[in-house]
Amino acid sequence: MHCGCWQSPEESEFESEVEQPWRPHAAFRIAAELGAGALTGVGLTLVGVRLGSSLCPQEAPEDPPDSCTLYPFLGGWLGSGLGFALGTWWGGSLLGGRGHILHTLGGMALGMAAGAGAFVLARGNINPLSGAAMLLPYALSVVAFEMSSSAHLQPMLSFTPRGGAVLGLAGRF
């Protein structure tokens, strides 16, 4: 009769081995996020350009208003950012990433705001800085997905010597 109180070394090694699910290397997962993001981004870019174009007048004036070039551009840019974020999320999740969709969309929104701000500060002219800032939604989508996949955050409260308090987040990535 075996009570489970004592095990031979072979039995304990055998029972301590727990089969972990297969997870691809992070570089492979990020490549999949970029590929899926690009694929989904292209699809929603086309939808955004079409929706933006539909806001222009149906009859073709000889001198179209500026909005007829701005609306399709903005629609395509918003569509590509949203599509890239969604693609990043499903591509990363497909390969075992544990990132959250809301964090990924938040990274995209933060990048959109920064890119739009740089575009406005450049007065609508595309220079190297505003052009690079227009790429922020794509980069921040991947960064936000990866950070939400591996971040372990907890609230932190600290007291200062003068009686004040500091509230924040502590974490490891």
Side-chain angles (χ1 to χ4, degrees), residues 142-172:
V142 173
V143 169
F145 178 83
E146 288 297 319
M147 284 184 68
S148 67
S149 181
S150 63
H152 301 284
L153 298 174
Q154 66 183 29
M156 180 188 78
L157 178 62
S158 176
F159 296 98
T160 64
R162 295 185 187 191
V166 177
L167 180 64
L169 289 174
R172 73 182 164 98

PDB file of all heavy atoms in Angstrom, residues 142-172:
ATOM      1  N   VAL A 142       1.435  48.038 -30.805  1.00  0.00           N
ATOM      2  CA  VAL A 142       2.248  46.867 -30.481  1.00  0.00           C
ATOM      3  C   VAL A 142       2.816  46.992 -29.071  1.00  0.00           C
ATOM      4  O   VAL A 142       2.777  46.039 -28.285  1.00  0.00           O
ATOM      5  CB  VAL A 142       3.373  46.671 -31.519  1.00  0.00           C
ATOM      6  CG1 VAL A 142       4.320  45.567 -31.105  1.00  0.00           C
ATOM      7  CG2 VAL A 142       2.778  46.384 -32.889  1.00  0.00           C
ATOM      8  N   VAL A 143       3.321  48.175 -28.722  1.00  0.00           N
ATOM      9  CA  VAL A 143       3.889  48.381 -27.390  1.00  0.00           C
ATOM     10  C   VAL A 143       2.821  48.166 -26.317  1.00  0.00           C
ATOM     11  O   VAL A 143       3.054  47.491 -25.316  1.00  0.00           O
ATOM     12  CB  VAL A 143       4.519  49.792 -27.278  1.00  0.00           C
ATOM     13  CG1 VAL A 143       4.863  50.132 -25.847  1.00  0.00           C
ATOM     14  CG2 VAL A 143       5.749  49.887 -28.163  1.00  0.00           C
ATOM     15  N   ALA A 144       1.626  48.718 -26.520  1.00  0.00           N
ATOM     16  CA  ALA A 144       0.556  48.577 -25.527  1.00  0.00           C
ATOM     17  C   ALA A 144       0.118  47.123 -25.395  1.00  0.00           C
ATOM     18  O   ALA A 144      -0.131  46.643 -24.286  1.00  0.00           O
ATOM     19  CB  ALA A 144      -0.629  49.459 -25.907  1.00  0.00           C
ATOM     20  N   PHE A 145       0.038  46.401 -26.524  1.00  0.00           N
ATOM     21  CA  PHE A 145      -0.346  44.986 -26.441  1.00  0.00           C
ATOM     22  C   PHE A 145       0.696  44.199 -25.654  1.00  0.00           C
ATOM     23  O   PHE A 145       0.354  43.413 -24.767  1.00  0.00           O
ATOM     24  CB  PHE A 145      -0.494  44.377 -27.838  1.00  0.00           C
ATOM     25  CG  PHE A 145      -0.852  42.915 -27.798  1.00  0.00           C
ATOM     26  CD1 PHE A 145      -2.165  42.517 -27.633  1.00  0.00           C
ATOM     27  CD2 PHE A 145       0.120  41.938 -27.899  1.00  0.00           C
ATOM     28  CE1 PHE A 145      -2.504  41.181 -27.571  1.00  0.00           C
ATOM     29  CE2 PHE A 145      -0.202  40.595 -27.840  1.00  0.00           C
ATOM     30  CZ  PHE A 145      -1.513  40.218 -27.678  1.00  0.00           C
ATOM     31  N   GLU A 146       1.963  44.412 -25.966  1.00  0.00           N
ATOM     32  CA  GLU A 146       3.014  43.668 -25.291  1.00  0.00           C
ATOM     33  C   GLU A 146       3.119  44.033 -23.811  1.00  0.00           C
ATOM     34  O   GLU A 146       3.314  43.172 -22.971  1.00  0.00           O
ATOM     35  CB  GLU A 146       4.361  43.886 -25.980  1.00  0.00           C
ATOM     36  CG  GLU A 146       4.471  43.187 -27.309  1.00  0.00           C
ATOM     37  CD  GLU A 146       4.372  41.684 -27.194  1.00  0.00           C
ATOM     38  OE1 GLU A 146       4.950  41.101 -26.257  1.00  0.00           O
ATOM     39  OE2 GLU A 146       3.700  41.067 -28.038  1.00  0.00           O
ATOM     40  N   MET A 147       2.960  45.303 -23.488  1.00  0.00           N
ATOM     41  CA  MET A 147       3.022  45.701 -22.084  1.00  0.00           C
ATOM     42  C   MET A 147       1.844  45.137 -21.297  1.00  0.00           C
ATOM     43  O   MET A 147       2.011  44.706 -20.161  1.00  0.00           O
ATOM     44  CB  MET A 147       3.070  47.221 -21.962  1.00  0.00           C
ATOM     45  CG  MET A 147       4.418  47.797 -22.297  1.00  0.00           C
ATOM     46  SD  MET A 147       4.502  49.572 -22.038  1.00  0.00           S
ATOM     47  CE  MET A 147       4.386  49.654 -20.263  1.00  0.00           C
ATOM     48  N   SER A 148       0.671  45.121 -21.889  1.00  0.00           N
ATOM     49  CA  SER A 148      -0.480  44.575 -21.165  1.00  0.00           C
ATOM     50  C   SER A 148      -0.411  43.057 -21.103  1.00  0.00           C
ATOM     51  O   SER A 148      -1.072  42.441 -20.273  1.00  0.00           O
ATOM     52  CB  SER A 148      -1.789  45.027 -21.815  1.00  0.00           C
ATOM     53  OG  SER A 148      -1.959  44.461 -23.089  1.00  0.00           O
ATOM     54  N   SER A 149       0.402  42.471 -21.946  1.00  0.00           N
ATOM     55  CA  SER A 149       0.559  41.022 -21.944  1.00  0.00           C
ATOM     56  C   SER A 149       1.465  40.547 -20.813  1.00  0.00           C
ATOM     57  O   SER A 149       1.265  39.476 -20.271  1.00  0.00           O
ATOM     58  CB  SER A 149       1.147  40.577 -23.288  1.00  0.00           C
ATOM     59  OG  SER A 149       1.296  39.199 -23.347  1.00  0.00           O
ATOM     60  N   SER A 150       2.437  41.366 -20.455  1.00  0.00           N
ATOM     61  CA  SER A 150       3.421  40.894 -19.483  1.00  0.00           C
ATOM     62  C   SER A 150       3.540  41.764 -18.245  1.00  0.00           C
ATOM     63  O   SER A 150       4.336  41.477 -17.378  1.00  0.00           O
ATOM     64  CB  SER A 150       4.793  40.804 -20.152  1.00  0.00           C
ATOM     65  OG  SER A 150       5.203  42.085 -20.556  1.00  0.00           O
ATOM     66  N   ALA A 151       2.774  42.817 -18.164  1.00  0.00           N
ATOM     67  CA  ALA A 151       2.900  43.721 -17.027  1.00  0.00           C
ATOM     68  C   ALA A 151       2.169  43.168 -15.808  1.00  0.00           C
ATOM     69  O   ALA A 151       1.103  42.592 -15.919  1.00  0.00           O
ATOM     70  CB  ALA A 151       2.344  45.089 -17.380  1.00  0.00           C
ATOM     71  N   HIS A 152       2.780  43.330 -14.681  1.00  0.00           N
ATOM     72  CA  HIS A 152       2.171  42.974 -13.402  1.00  0.00           C
ATOM     73  C   HIS A 152       2.174  44.247 -12.560  1.00  0.00           C
ATOM     74  O   HIS A 152       3.200  44.626 -12.014  1.00  0.00           O
ATOM     75  CB  HIS A 152       2.956  41.862 -12.704  1.00  0.00           C
ATOM     76  CG  HIS A 152       3.036  40.625 -13.525  1.00  0.00           C
ATOM     77  ND1 HIS A 152       1.983  39.757 -13.668  1.00  0.00           N
ATOM     78  CD2 HIS A 152       4.026  40.117 -14.279  1.00  0.00           C
ATOM     79  CE1 HIS A 152       2.326  38.759 -14.448  1.00  0.00           C
ATOM     80  NE2 HIS A 152       3.569  38.957 -14.842  1.00  0.00           N
ATOM     81  N   LEU A 153       1.032  44.919 -12.498  1.00  0.00           N
ATOM     82  CA  LEU A 153       0.937  46.188 -11.795  1.00  0.00           C
ATOM     83  C   LEU A 153       0.170  46.016 -10.496  1.00  0.00           C
ATOM     84  O   LEU A 153      -0.741  45.199 -10.395  1.00  0.00           O
ATOM     85  CB  LEU A 153       0.221  47.225 -12.662  1.00  0.00           C
ATOM     86  CG  LEU A 153       0.892  47.589 -13.978  1.00  0.00           C
ATOM     87  CD1 LEU A 153       0.000  48.506 -14.784  1.00  0.00           C
ATOM     88  CD2 LEU A 153       2.227  48.245 -13.728  1.00  0.00           C
ATOM     89  N   GLN A 154       0.527  46.823  -9.525  1.00  0.00           N
ATOM     90  CA  GLN A 154      -0.226  46.850  -8.278  1.00  0.00           C
ATOM     91  C   GLN A 154      -0.197  48.269  -7.747  1.00  0.00           C
ATOM     92  O   GLN A 154       0.756  49.014  -7.967  1.00  0.00           O
ATOM     93  CB  GLN A 154       0.353  45.876  -7.265  1.00  0.00           C
ATOM     94  CG  GLN A 154       1.743  46.227  -6.788  1.00  0.00           C
ATOM     95  CD  GLN A 154       2.276  45.165  -5.839  1.00  0.00           C
ATOM     96  OE1 GLN A 154       1.919  44.013  -5.935  1.00  0.00           O
ATOM     97  NE2 GLN A 154       3.130  45.577  -4.934  1.00  0.00           N
ATOM     98  N   PRO A 155      -1.251  48.680  -7.056  1.00  0.00           N
ATOM     99  CA  PRO A 155      -1.260  50.029  -6.492  1.00  0.00           C
ATOM    100  C   PRO A 155      -0.198  50.173  -5.405  1.00  0.00           C
ATOM    101  O   PRO A 155       0.157  49.205  -4.736  1.00  0.00           O
ATOM    102  CB  PRO A 155      -2.654  50.169  -5.890  1.00  0.00           C
ATOM    103  CG  PRO A 155      -3.387  48.929  -6.190  1.00  0.00           C
ATOM    104  CD  PRO A 155      -2.461  47.957  -6.812  1.00  0.00           C
ATOM    105  N   MET A 156       0.284  51.389  -5.261  1.00  0.00           N
ATOM    106  CA  MET A 156       1.331  51.652  -4.283  1.00  0.00           C
ATOM    107  C   MET A 156       0.978  52.922  -3.525  1.00  0.00           C
ATOM    108  O   MET A 156       0.515  53.898  -4.108  1.00  0.00           O
ATOM    109  CB  MET A 156       2.659  51.843  -5.014  1.00  0.00           C
ATOM    110  CG  MET A 156       3.834  52.132  -4.125  1.00  0.00           C
ATOM    111  SD  MET A 156       5.289  52.578  -5.065  1.00  0.00           S
ATOM    112  CE  MET A 156       4.916  54.262  -5.469  1.00  0.00           C
ATOM    113  N   LEU A 157       1.167  52.915  -2.219  1.00  0.00           N
ATOM    114  CA  LEU A 157       0.946  54.084  -1.375  1.00  0.00           C
ATOM    115  C   LEU A 157       2.196  54.302  -0.556  1.00  0.00           C
ATOM    116  O   LEU A 157       2.703  53.381   0.089  1.00  0.00           O
ATOM    117  CB  LEU A 157      -0.264  53.864  -0.461  1.00  0.00           C
ATOM    118  CG  LEU A 157      -0.592  54.979   0.515  1.00  0.00           C
ATOM    119  CD1 LEU A 157      -0.949  56.261  -0.226  1.00  0.00           C
ATOM    120  CD2 LEU A 157      -1.735  54.559   1.420  1.00  0.00           C
ATOM    121  N   SER A 158       2.708  55.517  -0.600  1.00  0.00           N
ATOM    122  CA  SER A 158       3.925  55.833   0.133  1.00  0.00           C
ATOM    123  C   SER A 158       3.700  57.132   0.905  1.00  0.00           C
ATOM    124  O   SER A 158       3.023  58.039   0.410  1.00  0.00           O
ATOM    125  CB  SER A 158       5.085  55.988  -0.851  1.00  0.00           C
ATOM    126  OG  SER A 158       6.253  56.375  -0.184  1.00  0.00           O
ATOM    127  N   PHE A 159       4.261  57.212   2.089  1.00  0.00           N
ATOM    128  CA  PHE A 159       4.130  58.408   2.911  1.00  0.00           C
ATOM    129  C   PHE A 159       5.449  59.153   2.965  1.00  0.00           C
ATOM    130  O   PHE A 159       6.511  58.546   3.070  1.00  0.00           O
ATOM    131  CB  PHE A 159       3.673  58.025   4.329  1.00  0.00           C
ATOM    132  CG  PHE A 159       2.315  57.404   4.348  1.00  0.00           C
ATOM    133  CD1 PHE A 159       2.153  56.029   4.401  1.00  0.00           C
ATOM    134  CD2 PHE A 159       1.183  58.206   4.275  1.00  0.00           C
ATOM    135  CE1 PHE A 159       0.906  55.451   4.400  1.00  0.00           C
ATOM    136  CE2 PHE A 159      -0.077  57.638   4.272  1.00  0.00           C
ATOM    137  CZ  PHE A 159      -0.231  56.268   4.339  1.00  0.00           C
ATOM    138  N   THR A 160       5.360  60.474   2.880  1.00  0.00           N
ATOM    139  CA  THR A 160       6.563  61.299   2.923  1.00  0.00           C
ATOM    140  C   THR A 160       6.859  61.683   4.371  1.00  0.00           C
ATOM    141  O   THR A 160       5.972  61.633   5.229  1.00  0.00           O
ATOM    142  CB  THR A 160       6.372  62.576   2.067  1.00  0.00           C
ATOM    143  OG1 THR A 160       5.329  63.354   2.653  1.00  0.00           O
ATOM    144  CG2 THR A 160       6.042  62.225   0.634  1.00  0.00           C
ATOM    145  N   PRO A 161       8.090  62.116   4.662  1.00  0.00           N
ATOM    146  CA  PRO A 161       8.440  62.504   6.035  1.00  0.00           C
ATOM    147  C   PRO A 161       7.618  63.688   6.559  1.00  0.00           C
ATOM    148  O   PRO A 161       7.424  63.839   7.748  1.00  0.00           O
ATOM    149  CB  PRO A 161       9.919  62.878   5.955  1.00  0.00           C
ATOM    150  CG  PRO A 161      10.430  62.228   4.729  1.00  0.00           C
ATOM    151  CD  PRO A 161       9.274  62.102   3.800  1.00  0.00           C
ATOM    152  N   ARG A 162       7.105  64.518   5.683  1.00  0.00           N
ATOM    153  CA  ARG A 162       6.347  65.698   6.113  1.00  0.00           C
ATOM    154  C   ARG A 162       4.855  65.404   6.290  1.00  0.00           C
ATOM    155  O   ARG A 162       4.061  66.309   6.452  1.00  0.00           O
ATOM    156  CB  ARG A 162       6.513  66.817   5.105  1.00  0.00           C
ATOM    157  CG  ARG A 162       7.925  67.319   5.032  1.00  0.00           C
ATOM    158  CD  ARG A 162       8.001  68.485   4.116  1.00  0.00           C
ATOM    159  NE  ARG A 162       9.391  68.873   3.913  1.00  0.00           N
ATOM    160  CZ  ARG A 162       9.739  69.976   3.331  1.00  0.00           C
ATOM    161  NH1 ARG A 162       8.824  70.804   2.874  1.00  0.00           N
ATOM    162  NH2 ARG A 162      11.009  70.261   3.171  1.00  0.00           N
ATOM    163  N   GLY A 163       4.468  64.153   6.179  1.00  0.00           N
ATOM    164  CA  GLY A 163       3.070  63.789   6.391  1.00  0.00           C
ATOM    165  C   GLY A 163       2.242  63.703   5.116  1.00  0.00           C
ATOM    166  O   GLY A 163       1.050  63.458   5.176  1.00  0.00           O
ATOM    167  N   GLY A 164       2.845  63.884   3.964  1.00  0.00           N
ATOM    168  CA  GLY A 164       2.122  63.765   2.706  1.00  0.00           C
ATOM    169  C   GLY A 164       2.073  62.314   2.252  1.00  0.00           C
ATOM    170  O   GLY A 164       2.683  61.428   2.856  1.00  0.00           O
ATOM    171  N   ALA A 165       1.339  62.085   1.207  1.00  0.00           N
ATOM    172  CA  ALA A 165       1.217  60.728   0.669  1.00  0.00           C
ATOM    173  C   ALA A 165       1.363  60.768  -0.852  1.00  0.00           C
ATOM    174  O   ALA A 165       1.013  61.757  -1.494  1.00  0.00           O
ATOM    175  CB  ALA A 165      -0.117  60.117   1.052  1.00  0.00           C
ATOM    176  N   VAL A 166       1.880  59.694  -1.384  1.00  0.00           N
ATOM    177  CA  VAL A 166       2.036  59.539  -2.829  1.00  0.00           C
ATOM    178  C   VAL A 166       1.334  58.245  -3.233  1.00  0.00           C
ATOM    179  O   VAL A 166       1.587  57.197  -2.657  1.00  0.00           O
ATOM    180  CB  VAL A 166       3.532  59.485  -3.233  1.00  0.00           C
ATOM    181  CG1 VAL A 166       3.668  59.239  -4.723  1.00  0.00           C
ATOM    182  CG2 VAL A 166       4.246  60.739  -2.804  1.00  0.00           C
ATOM    183  N   LEU A 167       0.457  58.354  -4.194  1.00  0.00           N
ATOM    184  CA  LEU A 167      -0.256  57.190  -4.708  1.00  0.00           C
ATOM    185  C   LEU A 167       0.237  56.933  -6.124  1.00  0.00           C
ATOM    186  O   LEU A 167       0.400  57.862  -6.907  1.00  0.00           O
ATOM    187  CB  LEU A 167      -1.763  57.456  -4.711  1.00  0.00           C
ATOM    188  CG  LEU A 167      -2.666  56.349  -5.215  1.00  0.00           C
ATOM    189  CD1 LEU A 167      -2.548  55.136  -4.291  1.00  0.00           C
ATOM    190  CD2 LEU A 167      -4.101  56.814  -5.278  1.00  0.00           C
ATOM    191  N   GLY A 168       0.487  55.687  -6.460  1.00  0.00           N
ATOM    192  CA  GLY A 168       0.984  55.380  -7.793  1.00  0.00           C
ATOM    193  C   GLY A 168       0.826  53.910  -8.107  1.00  0.00           C
ATOM    194  O   GLY A 168       0.121  53.164  -7.407  1.00  0.00           O
ATOM    195  N   LEU A 169       1.478  53.500  -9.165  1.00  0.00           N
ATOM    196  CA  LEU A 169       1.487  52.106  -9.581  1.00  0.00           C
ATOM    197  C   LEU A 169       2.915  51.600  -9.581  1.00  0.00           C
ATOM    198  O   LEU A 169       3.814  52.292 -10.035  1.00  0.00           O
ATOM    199  CB  LEU A 169       0.900  51.935 -10.981  1.00  0.00           C
ATOM    200  CG  LEU A 169      -0.591  52.140 -11.133  1.00  0.00           C
ATOM    201  CD1 LEU A 169      -0.978  52.078 -12.615  1.00  0.00           C
ATOM    202  CD2 LEU A 169      -1.356  51.094 -10.366  1.00  0.00           C
ATOM    203  N   ALA A 170       3.093  50.409  -9.096  1.00  0.00           N
ATOM    204  CA  ALA A 170       4.392  49.745  -9.159  1.00  0.00           C
ATOM    205  C   ALA A 170       4.201  48.493 -10.002  1.00  0.00           C
ATOM    206  O   ALA A 170       3.139  47.884  -9.987  1.00  0.00           O
ATOM    207  CB  ALA A 170       4.877  49.377  -7.760  1.00  0.00           C
ATOM    208  N   GLY A 171       5.197  48.154 -10.735  1.00  0.00           N
ATOM    209  CA  GLY A 171       5.038  46.967 -11.569  1.00  0.00           C
ATOM    210  C   GLY A 171       6.341  46.478 -12.124  1.00  0.00           C
ATOM    211  O   GLY A 171       7.390  47.094 -11.958  1.00  0.00           O
ATOM    212  N   ARG A 172       6.234  45.339 -12.774  1.00  0.00           N
ATOM    213  CA  ARG A 172       7.382  44.790 -13.490  1.00  0.00           C
ATOM    214  C   ARG A 172       6.896  44.360 -14.867  1.00  0.00           C
ATOM    215  O   ARG A 172       5.748  43.957 -15.044  1.00  0.00           O
ATOM    216  CB  ARG A 172       8.039  43.659 -12.730  1.00  0.00           C
ATOM    217  CG  ARG A 172       7.285  42.386 -12.714  1.00  0.00           C
ATOM    218  CD  ARG A 172       8.020  41.348 -11.872  1.00  0.00           C
ATOM    219  NE  ARG A 172       7.083  40.295 -11.577  1.00  0.00           N
ATOM    220  CZ  ARG A 172       7.008  39.167 -12.251  1.00  0.00           C
ATOM    221  NH1 ARG A 172       7.858  38.935 -13.231  1.00  0.00           N
ATOM    222  NH2 ARG A 172       6.111  38.270 -11.955  1.00  0.00           N
TER     223      ARG A 172
END
